[in-house]
């Protein structure tokens, strides 16, 4: 545990003590202790140095508040009554706990850019949990305990009727943890971040610890693709050279190709991230060949792939690439699962 100063944009120390402590999940956190800094701080501006007597007394009160905060964190989830009492003591105002339905809008207005597909998926996860919680009589976010969180995850992921893979359930857990973190009152522990809440893969769940293809396997893959599916060969070269997802490979436009700078400039479809990627030698060969052979009026580098992905036939692309992988890597059956590691197959 340690005390901290925080400075505003003007460089001056903010008038409140901040404390560093460890959450139950083992992560470090720094929070406002709601204890005012009084007196004259040390001239050095360093928290470890001494100020006047009034300042040192306020330091003592801050240490007491920090110790209480750490103890609360170690206890796990606070009771509803304790959380309401603590908030009232710190702010002097009564707290109206957010209703469970507040989780549905907890991620609205996020600063980071997210694709429409990502937002729809996360909102569906939140709606499913809120409906489940309301059926169990939960009315506010403080009613969600670690036991309830564990019960929910066990219901969507169990040996008798698993509805999702371990990977998807971990994603559900993360989405709910973020939403609760934004709606729980100060001091309340987030049940979906509790250290005892883990998603362990069930027997038979397809969870791979993948290894990248070796240079020899890549060469064999490209040789096979060139022989059995030349079009897929070019997709694979693009994917291996850039790390782009399937949709970004299929929708790659000639306008994204800066031949003079030997670079690609594009925005990814899923995360809307601006990328500036060098054109690798093997991919440069593919681009040069396609420039000569394709219709100069073509908008896309891979017109066939663009047509398939636009027609919601993305799985056709994945099947063709998987077929080439299976042929290239056979009889190494255990390596065929590595097909999923290709960015071409990661979608959307």
């Amino acid at each position: 545990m340690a005390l901290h100063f925080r400075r505003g944009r003007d460089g001056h120390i903010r008038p409140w003590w901040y404390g560093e402590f460890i959450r139950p999940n083992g992560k470090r956190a720094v929070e406002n202790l709601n204890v005012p800094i009084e007196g004259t701080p040390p001239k050095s501006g360093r928290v470890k140095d001494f100020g006047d007597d009034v300042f040192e007394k306020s330091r003592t009160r801050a240490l007491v508040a920090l110790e209480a905060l750490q103890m609360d964190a170690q206890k796990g989830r606070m009771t509803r009554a304790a959380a309401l009492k603590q908030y009232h003591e710190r702010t002097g105002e009564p707290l109206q706990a957010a209703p469970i339905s507040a989780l549905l809008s907890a991620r609205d207005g996020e600063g980071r850019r997210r694709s429409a597909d990502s937002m729809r998926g996360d909102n569906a996860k939140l709606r499913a949990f809120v409906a489940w919680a309301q059926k169990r009589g939960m009315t506010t976010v403080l009613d969600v305990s670690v036991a309830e969180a564990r019960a929910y995850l066990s219901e969507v992921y169990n040996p008798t009727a698993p509805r999702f893979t371990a990977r998807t359930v971990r994603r559900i857990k993360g989405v709910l943890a973020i939403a609760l973190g934004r709606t729980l009152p100060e001091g309340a522990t987030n049940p979906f971040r509790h250290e005892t809440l883990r998603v362990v893969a069930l027997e038979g769940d397809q969870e791979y610890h993948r290894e990248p293809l070796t240079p020899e396997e890549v060469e064999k893959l490209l040789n096979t693709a060139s022989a059995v599916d030349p079009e897929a060969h070019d997709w694979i070269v693009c994917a291996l050279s850039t790390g782009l997802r399937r949709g970004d490979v299929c929708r790659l436009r000639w306008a994204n190709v800066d031949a003079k700078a030997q670079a690609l400039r594009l925005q990814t479809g899923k995360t809307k991230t601006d990328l500036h990627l060098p054109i690798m030698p093997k991919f440069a060969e593919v681009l040069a060949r396609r420039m000569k052979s394709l219709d100069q009026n073509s908008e896309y580098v891979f017109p066939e792939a663009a047509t398939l992905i636009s027609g919601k036939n993305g799985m056709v692309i994945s099947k063709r690439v998987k077929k080439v992988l299976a042929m290239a890597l056979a009889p190494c059956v255990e390596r065929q699962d590595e097909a999923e590691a290709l960015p071409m197959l990661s979608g959307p």
Side-chain angles (χ1 to χ4, degrees):
M1 296 191 303
L3 295 176
H4 289 272
F5 290 149
R6 285 293 173 89
R7 297 181 183 274
R9 293 183 178 180
D10 57 2
H12 295 143
I13 296 173
R14 292 178 179 174
W16 302 96
W17 284 100
Y18 286 78
E20 176 184 337
F21 66 103
I22 304 300
R23 295 188 185 279
N25 59 10
K27 292 185 178 181
R28 170 182 171 274
V30 177
E31 289 190 6
N32 187 337
L33 298 173
N34 290 303
V35 175
I37 296 176
E38 299 175 342
T40 304
K43 293 181 179 180
S44 65
R46 295 181 298 185
V47 72
K48 65 179 181 180
D49 293 338
F50 291 99
D52 65 10
D53 290 342
V54 177
F55 173 85
E56 292 305 321
K57 288 180 181 179
S58 73
R59 183 203 297 270
T60 300
R61 289 194 292 274
L63 285 171
V64 172
L66 177 57
E67 183 177 0
L69 189 61
Q70 181 67 77
M71 290 180 63
D72 286 341
Q74 291 174 348
K75 291 176 184 176
R77 177 182 178 271
M78 298 177 68
T79 64
R80 176 186 174 115
L84 295 173
K85 180 181 178 182
Q86 176 176 292
Y87 188 88
H88 180 68
E89 289 175 346
R90 290 184 175 181
T91 66
E93 300 176 356
L95 172 69
Q96 297 296 324
I100 196 73
S101 58
L103 295 176
L104 299 175
S105 57
R107 301 193 65 179
D108 291 352
E110 284 191 345
R112 71 184 185 93
R113 291 180 294 181
R114 299 169 61 212
S115 69
D117 287 341
S118 174
M119 289 188 286
R120 277 194 296 269
D122 288 355
N123 289 340
K125 295 176 179 65
L126 292 171
R127 286 196 301 271
F129 175 75
V130 168
W132 179 87
Q134 288 174 336
K135 286 182 180 178
R136 292 172 72 97
M138 296 180 223
T139 58
T140 75
V141 292
L142 284 173
D143 295 328
V144 184
S145 65
V146 175
E148 296 287 7
R150 185 175 292 109
Y152 182 69
L153 295 183
S154 297
E155 187 169 311
V156 297
Y157 191 62
N158 62 77
T160 56
R163 294 163 52 189
F164 305 103
T165 64
R167 180 180 179 182
T168 300
V169 174
R170 291 191 188 103
R171 173 63 182 167
I172 292 171
K173 177 175 176 285
V175 169
L176 293 173
I178 292 172
L180 275 166
R182 295 176 181 175
T183 51
L184 283 168
E186 180 184 357
T189 298
N190 192 325
F192 279 97
R193 293 197 187 281
H194 198 269
E195 59 184 355
T196 64
L197 199 65
R198 299 178 182 272
V199 179
V200 180
L202 300 172
E203 184 177 354
D205 194 350
Q206 294 184 350
E207 186 173 85
Y208 303 108
H209 298 283
R210 303 184 182 94
E211 298 177 2
L213 298 174
T214 65
E216 294 76 16
E217 288 172 331
V218 170
E219 183 177 2
K220 191 172 183 181
L221 170 63
L222 294 180
N223 289 338
T224 302
S226 182
V228 302
D229 193 338
E231 186 70 18
H233 166 274
D234 291 356
W235 305 340
I236 293 170
V237 170
C238 178
L240 290 174
S241 301
T242 62
L244 294 174
R245 293 183 175 88
R246 180 180 61 205
D248 294 326
V249 170
C250 296
R251 298 185 182 95
L252 184 65
R253 291 172 166 82
W254 287 112
N256 300 133
V257 180
D258 187 338
K260 185 176 181 180
Q262 283 294 289
L264 298 180
R265 304 175 190 275
L266 69 152
Q267 186 180 79
T268 60
K270 184 174 183 179
T271 61
K272 307 303 180 186
T273 301
D274 293 323
L275 295 181
H276 182 193
L277 304 172
I279 297 176
M280 307 299 285
K282 192 74 175 177
F283 187 39
E285 294 175 10
V286 169
L287 290 173
R289 173 167 43 78
R290 296 184 79 87
M291 277 185 184
K292 292 179 181 179
S293 61
L294 290 177
D295 180 358
Q296 294 300 312
N297 295 323
S298 175
E299 178 184 2
Y300 297 99
V301 175
F302 307 112
E304 181 181 347
T307 301
L308 288 170
I309 203 76
S310 298
K312 307 300 182 182
N313 290 318
M315 290 307 298
V316 173
I317 296 169
S318 295
K319 287 178 180 178
R320 285 171 63 175
V321 174
K322 285 184 178 181
K323 181 179 178 180
V324 172
L325 274 156
M327 294 177 66
L329 300 180
C332 302
V333 178
E334 68 275 9
R335 294 292 282 154
Q336 292 183 28
D337 288 332
E338 301 300 327
E340 296 295 344
L342 271 181
M344 265 299 290
L345 303 179
S346 63

